[in-house]
Amino acid sequence: MPSAFTLLRAWGLMMALTGLSLWAAISDQSIASTLAAMGAGVLKAVLILWAYLNLRRSPSGWKAVFGVFLIAIALIVLGAFWVGKIVK
Amino acid sequence: MSDDTENWGALSELPGNPLMWVLILSELMVFGAFFAAFSVSRVLHPAMFLADQVRLDRLVGGVNTMLLLTSGLAAALAVNARGMGDIRRCRLWLGGAALLGLGFLGVKLAEYSDKAAQGFGIETDTFWTLFYLMTGFHAAHVVLGLVIMAIVVWKPSLENVETCVSFWHMVDLIWVLLYPIVYLIR
Protein backbone atom coordinates (compact mmCIF):
# COMPACT_ATOMS: atom_id res chain seq x y z
CA MET A 1 0.00 0.00 0.00
CA PRO A 2 1.30 3.49 -0.80
CA SER A 3 1.87 5.80 2.17
CA ALA A 4 -0.59 8.59 2.98
CA PHE A 5 2.10 11.07 1.89
CA THR A 6 2.44 9.39 -1.54
CA LEU A 7 -1.34 9.46 -1.97
CA LEU A 8 -1.57 13.12 -0.94
CA ARG A 9 1.27 14.05 -3.31
CA ALA A 10 -0.48 12.27 -6.21
CA TRP A 11 -3.78 13.98 -5.33
CA GLY A 12 -2.12 17.41 -5.21
CA LEU A 13 -0.50 16.81 -8.59
CA MET A 14 -3.80 15.68 -10.12
CA MET A 15 -5.63 18.75 -8.75
CA ALA A 16 -2.90 20.99 -10.20
CA LEU A 17 -3.14 19.19 -13.57
CA THR A 18 -6.92 19.69 -13.58
CA GLY A 19 -6.51 23.41 -12.92
CA LEU A 20 -3.80 23.68 -15.57
CA SER A 21 -5.81 21.93 -18.29
CA LEU A 22 -8.89 24.02 -17.45
CA TRP A 23 -6.86 27.24 -17.61
CA ALA A 24 -5.23 26.19 -20.90
CA ALA A 25 -8.63 25.35 -22.44
CA ILE A 26 -10.23 28.62 -21.32
CA SER A 27 -7.30 30.84 -22.33
CA ASP A 28 -7.12 29.59 -25.94
CA GLN A 29 -8.18 26.81 -28.28
CA SER A 30 -4.87 26.12 -29.98
CA ILE A 31 -3.23 22.75 -30.61
CA ALA A 32 -1.08 23.44 -27.52
CA SER A 33 -4.13 23.66 -25.24
CA THR A 34 -5.52 20.45 -26.78
CA LEU A 35 -2.23 18.69 -26.10
CA ALA A 36 -2.17 20.11 -22.56
CA ALA A 37 -5.75 18.93 -21.87
CA MET A 38 -5.23 15.41 -23.21
CA GLY A 39 -1.72 15.15 -21.73
CA ALA A 40 -3.04 16.17 -18.30
CA GLY A 41 -5.87 13.61 -18.60
CA VAL A 42 -3.49 10.77 -19.46
CA LEU A 43 -1.06 11.82 -16.72
CA LYS A 44 -3.88 11.81 -14.16
CA ALA A 45 -4.93 8.34 -15.35
CA VAL A 46 -1.32 7.15 -14.85
CA LEU A 47 -1.27 8.64 -11.33
CA ILE A 48 -4.55 6.89 -10.47
CA LEU A 49 -3.09 3.57 -11.67
CA TRP A 50 0.31 4.07 -10.05
CA ALA A 51 -0.54 5.73 -6.73
CA TYR A 52 -4.25 5.17 -5.95
CA LEU A 53 -4.39 1.59 -7.32
CA ASN A 54 -0.73 0.92 -6.47
CA LEU A 55 -0.16 -0.84 -9.81
CA ARG A 56 3.47 0.31 -9.87
CA ARG A 57 4.09 -2.83 -7.80
CA SER A 58 2.19 -5.05 -10.27
CA PRO A 59 3.97 -7.24 -12.89
CA SER A 60 5.20 -5.50 -16.04
CA GLY A 61 2.56 -7.25 -18.16
CA TRP A 62 -0.21 -5.36 -16.39
CA LYS A 63 1.68 -2.09 -16.69
CA ALA A 64 1.92 -2.76 -20.44
CA VAL A 65 -1.83 -3.49 -20.71
CA PHE A 66 -2.82 -0.20 -19.09
CA GLY A 67 -0.05 1.70 -20.87
CA VAL A 68 -1.24 0.46 -24.28
CA PHE A 69 -4.85 1.36 -23.39
CA LEU A 70 -3.93 4.94 -22.45
CA ILE A 71 -1.64 5.44 -25.46
CA ALA A 72 -4.32 4.07 -27.80
CA ILE A 73 -6.97 6.42 -26.38
CA ALA A 74 -4.63 9.44 -26.63
CA LEU A 75 -3.66 8.56 -30.23
CA ILE A 76 -7.29 8.08 -31.32
CA VAL A 77 -8.47 11.33 -29.73
CA LEU A 78 -5.53 13.47 -30.91
CA GLY A 79 -5.45 11.77 -34.32
CA ALA A 80 -9.15 12.51 -34.86
CA PHE A 81 -8.60 16.09 -33.65
CA TRP A 82 -5.84 16.67 -36.22
CA VAL A 83 -7.76 14.99 -39.03
CA GLY A 84 -10.66 17.33 -38.17
CA LYS A 85 -8.35 20.35 -38.37
CA ILE A 86 -6.94 19.24 -41.75
CA VAL A 87 -10.38 18.49 -43.23
CA LYS A 88 -11.70 21.87 -42.01
CA MET B 1 -5.97 -12.64 -1.44
CA SER B 2 -8.44 -15.30 -0.39
CA ASP B 3 -8.00 -19.01 -1.29
CA ASP B 4 -10.89 -19.03 -3.76
CA THR B 5 -9.15 -16.41 -5.92
CA GLU B 6 -5.81 -18.19 -6.25
CA ASN B 7 -6.56 -19.79 -9.63
CA TRP B 8 -7.21 -16.58 -11.53
CA GLY B 9 -3.71 -16.44 -13.04
CA ALA B 10 -2.49 -12.93 -13.83
CA LEU B 11 -5.70 -11.39 -12.46
CA SER B 12 -4.82 -12.54 -8.94
CA GLU B 13 -1.78 -10.23 -9.07
CA LEU B 14 -4.12 -7.21 -8.91
CA PRO B 15 -5.65 -5.78 -5.69
CA GLY B 16 -9.06 -7.05 -4.60
CA ASN B 17 -11.27 -9.73 -6.13
CA PRO B 18 -10.11 -10.83 -9.65
CA LEU B 19 -13.72 -10.93 -10.87
CA MET B 20 -13.94 -7.19 -10.28
CA TRP B 21 -10.92 -6.74 -12.56
CA VAL B 22 -12.74 -8.66 -15.32
CA LEU B 23 -15.49 -6.04 -14.96
CA ILE B 24 -13.00 -3.14 -14.78
CA LEU B 25 -11.15 -4.25 -17.94
CA SER B 26 -14.47 -4.76 -19.78
CA GLU B 27 -15.65 -1.30 -18.75
CA LEU B 28 -12.39 0.28 -19.92
CA MET B 29 -12.93 -1.33 -23.34
CA VAL B 30 -16.54 -0.04 -23.50
CA PHE B 31 -15.52 3.51 -22.59
CA GLY B 32 -12.57 3.28 -25.00
CA ALA B 33 -15.12 2.55 -27.77
CA PHE B 34 -17.22 5.53 -26.60
CA PHE B 35 -14.18 7.83 -26.75
CA ALA B 36 -13.35 6.61 -30.26
CA ALA B 37 -16.99 7.07 -31.39
CA PHE B 38 -17.06 10.61 -29.95
CA SER B 39 -13.76 11.53 -31.63
CA VAL B 40 -14.80 10.14 -35.03
CA SER B 41 -18.21 11.86 -34.80
CA ARG B 42 -16.42 15.16 -34.11
CA VAL B 43 -14.49 14.72 -37.37
CA LEU B 44 -17.73 13.96 -39.26
CA HIS B 45 -19.74 16.87 -37.75
CA PRO B 46 -17.18 19.55 -36.74
CA ALA B 47 -19.54 22.54 -36.88
CA MET B 48 -22.27 20.78 -34.89
CA PHE B 49 -19.83 19.60 -32.21
CA LEU B 50 -18.28 23.05 -31.82
CA ALA B 51 -21.68 24.75 -31.61
CA ASP B 52 -22.91 22.25 -28.99
CA GLN B 53 -19.68 21.98 -26.98
CA VAL B 54 -19.68 25.73 -26.19
CA ARG B 55 -22.94 25.07 -24.29
CA LEU B 56 -21.03 22.92 -21.79
CA ASP B 57 -19.59 24.59 -18.70
CA ARG B 58 -15.93 23.52 -18.48
CA LEU B 59 -15.73 24.78 -14.89
CA VAL B 60 -18.58 22.47 -13.83
CA GLY B 61 -16.69 19.55 -15.39
CA GLY B 62 -13.53 20.70 -13.58
CA VAL B 63 -15.33 20.88 -10.22
CA ASN B 64 -16.65 17.35 -10.78
CA THR B 65 -13.12 16.16 -11.65
CA MET B 66 -11.84 17.59 -8.37
CA LEU B 67 -14.70 16.00 -6.41
CA LEU B 68 -13.98 12.55 -7.87
CA LEU B 69 -10.19 12.83 -7.43
CA THR B 70 -10.67 13.82 -3.78
CA SER B 71 -13.14 10.98 -3.34
CA GLY B 72 -10.51 8.64 -4.84
CA LEU B 73 -7.98 9.90 -2.28
CA ALA B 74 -10.40 9.16 0.58
CA ALA B 75 -11.03 5.68 -0.86
CA ALA B 76 -7.28 4.96 -1.14
CA LEU B 77 -6.83 6.11 2.47
CA ALA B 78 -9.62 3.70 3.46
CA VAL B 79 -7.55 0.82 2.03
CA ASN B 80 -4.53 2.04 4.01
CA ALA B 81 -6.57 2.25 7.23
CA ARG B 82 -8.01 -1.26 6.69
CA GLY B 83 -4.51 -2.60 5.95
CA MET B 84 -3.41 -1.29 9.35
CA GLY B 85 -6.45 -2.94 10.97
CA ASP B 86 -8.21 0.33 11.78
CA ILE B 87 -11.78 -0.54 10.75
CA ARG B 88 -13.34 2.60 12.26
CA ARG B 89 -11.08 4.90 10.27
CA CYS B 90 -11.59 2.77 7.16
CA ARG B 91 -15.36 3.25 7.47
CA LEU B 92 -14.91 7.00 7.97
CA TRP B 93 -12.77 7.33 4.82
CA LEU B 94 -15.25 5.26 2.83
CA GLY B 95 -18.08 7.46 4.12
CA GLY B 96 -16.14 10.56 3.03
CA ALA B 97 -15.51 9.04 -0.40
CA ALA B 98 -19.23 8.25 -0.73
CA LEU B 99 -20.25 11.80 0.27
CA LEU B 100 -17.94 13.25 -2.39
CA GLY B 101 -19.37 10.77 -4.90
CA LEU B 102 -22.86 12.00 -4.01
CA GLY B 103 -21.60 15.55 -4.53
CA PHE B 104 -20.44 14.53 -8.02
CA LEU B 105 -23.91 13.13 -8.80
CA GLY B 106 -25.57 16.30 -7.45
CA VAL B 107 -23.47 18.49 -9.76
CA LYS B 108 -24.18 16.16 -12.70
CA LEU B 109 -27.94 16.25 -12.03
CA ALA B 110 -27.85 20.06 -11.86
CA GLU B 111 -25.96 20.10 -15.17
CA TYR B 112 -28.50 17.75 -16.81
CA SER B 113 -31.48 19.77 -15.61
CA ASP B 114 -29.83 23.00 -16.83
CA LYS B 115 -29.23 21.52 -20.30
CA ALA B 116 -32.74 20.05 -20.43
CA ALA B 117 -34.19 23.45 -19.50
CA GLN B 118 -32.26 24.95 -22.43
CA GLY B 119 -33.86 22.35 -24.71
CA PHE B 120 -30.86 20.05 -25.17
CA GLY B 121 -32.03 16.46 -24.82
CA ILE B 122 -30.63 13.06 -25.78
CA GLU B 123 -32.33 13.24 -29.21
CA THR B 124 -31.31 16.82 -30.09
CA ASP B 125 -28.34 15.74 -32.24
CA THR B 126 -25.35 13.35 -32.33
CA PHE B 127 -23.32 15.45 -29.86
CA TRP B 128 -26.01 15.46 -27.19
CA THR B 129 -26.77 11.77 -27.74
CA LEU B 130 -23.11 10.91 -27.11
CA PHE B 131 -22.86 13.41 -24.26
CA TYR B 132 -25.81 11.92 -22.38
CA LEU B 133 -24.81 8.33 -23.18
CA MET B 134 -21.19 8.72 -22.06
CA THR B 135 -21.75 10.87 -18.97
CA GLY B 136 -24.95 9.00 -18.08
CA PHE B 137 -23.26 5.59 -18.33
CA HIS B 138 -20.42 6.96 -16.21
CA ALA B 139 -22.88 8.35 -13.64
CA ALA B 140 -24.55 4.92 -13.50
CA HIS B 141 -21.13 3.51 -12.52
CA VAL B 142 -20.84 6.14 -9.79
CA VAL B 143 -24.23 5.00 -8.43
CA LEU B 144 -23.12 1.34 -8.58
CA GLY B 145 -19.86 2.28 -6.82
CA LEU B 146 -21.84 3.97 -4.04
CA VAL B 147 -24.02 0.86 -3.59
CA ILE B 148 -20.89 -1.35 -3.39
CA MET B 149 -19.35 1.13 -0.93
CA ALA B 150 -22.43 0.95 1.31
CA ILE B 151 -22.16 -2.86 1.37
CA VAL B 152 -18.43 -2.71 2.12
CA VAL B 153 -18.92 -0.22 4.98
CA TRP B 154 -21.13 -2.94 6.49
CA LYS B 155 -18.65 -5.82 5.74
CA PRO B 156 -15.20 -4.20 5.63
CA SER B 157 -12.84 -7.16 5.11
CA LEU B 158 -9.53 -6.17 3.44
CA GLU B 159 -10.48 -7.95 0.21
CA ASN B 160 -13.91 -6.29 0.12
CA VAL B 161 -12.39 -2.84 0.68
CA GLU B 162 -9.71 -3.39 -2.01
CA THR B 163 -12.32 -4.69 -4.47
CA CYS B 164 -14.71 -1.80 -3.90
CA VAL B 165 -11.95 0.82 -4.04
CA SER B 166 -10.48 -0.68 -7.24
CA PHE B 167 -13.90 -0.21 -8.88
CA TRP B 168 -14.09 3.36 -7.53
CA HIS B 169 -10.67 4.21 -8.98
CA MET B 170 -11.81 2.82 -12.36
CA VAL B 171 -14.71 5.31 -12.20
CA ASP B 172 -12.12 8.05 -11.45
CA LEU B 173 -9.88 6.93 -14.32
CA ILE B 174 -12.71 6.98 -16.86
CA TRP B 175 -13.74 10.48 -15.79
CA VAL B 176 -10.23 12.01 -16.03
CA LEU B 177 -10.16 10.85 -19.69
CA LEU B 178 -13.80 11.74 -20.43
CA TYR B 179 -13.43 15.30 -19.06
CA PRO B 180 -10.85 16.59 -21.61
CA ILE B 181 -12.43 14.67 -24.51
CA VAL B 182 -15.98 15.95 -23.97
CA TYR B 183 -15.50 19.30 -22.20
CA LEU B 184 -12.09 20.73 -23.07
CA ILE B 185 -10.90 19.71 -26.54
CA ARG B 186 -12.64 21.82 -29.20
Side-chain angles (χ1 to χ4, degrees), chain A residues 1-2 4 7 11 14-15 18 22 25 29 34 37 41 44-45 48-49 52-53 55 59 62 66 69 73 77 80-81, chain B residues 10-11 13-14 21 28 32 39 43 58-59 65-66 69-70 72-73 79-80 83 169 173 176 179-181 185-186:
Chain A
M1 282 171 289
L7 292 171
W11 172 80
M14 287 191 281
M15 297 297 265
T18 303
L22 184 58
Q29 282 302 315
T34 299
K44 281 185 277 184
I48 288 169
L49 290 167
Y52 280 11
L53 274 164
L55 291 192
W62 281 117
F66 289 107
F69 171 76
I73 295 293
V77 172
F81 176 80
Chain B
L11 284 173
E13 292 158 350
L14 296 167
W21 281 94
L28 289 179
S39 301
V43 175
R58 290 175 286 203
L59 192 59
T65 306
M66 291 180 174
L69 290 174
T70 309
L73 172 69
V79 176
N80 270 12
H169 291 325
L173 192 148
V176 298
Y179 173 55
I181 293 169
I185 297 174
R186 290 178 184 175

Side-chain angles (χ1 to χ4, degrees), chain A residues 21 24 30-42 74 78 81-82, chain B residues 180 185:
Chain A
S21 59
S30 65
I31 289 174
S33 71
T34 299
L35 276 174
M38 202 58 214
V42 170
L78 293 176
F81 176 80
W82 274 309
Chain B
I185 297 174

Side-chain angles (χ1 to χ4, degrees), chain B residues 8-24:
Chain B
W8 284 88
L11 284 173
S12 52
E13 292 158 350
L14 296 167
N17 191 303
L19 204 54
M20 181 58 89
W21 281 94
V22 174
L23 178 69
I24 288 173

Side-chain angles (χ1 to χ4, degrees), chain B residues 115-135:
Chain B
K115 298 303 162 225
Q118 291 178 44
F120 302 114
I122 196 164
E123 291 181 340
T124 303
D125 60 31
T126 310
F127 173 84
W128 291 107
T129 301
L130 285 170
F131 170 79
Y132 282 111
L133 268 179
M134 289 163 72
T135 58

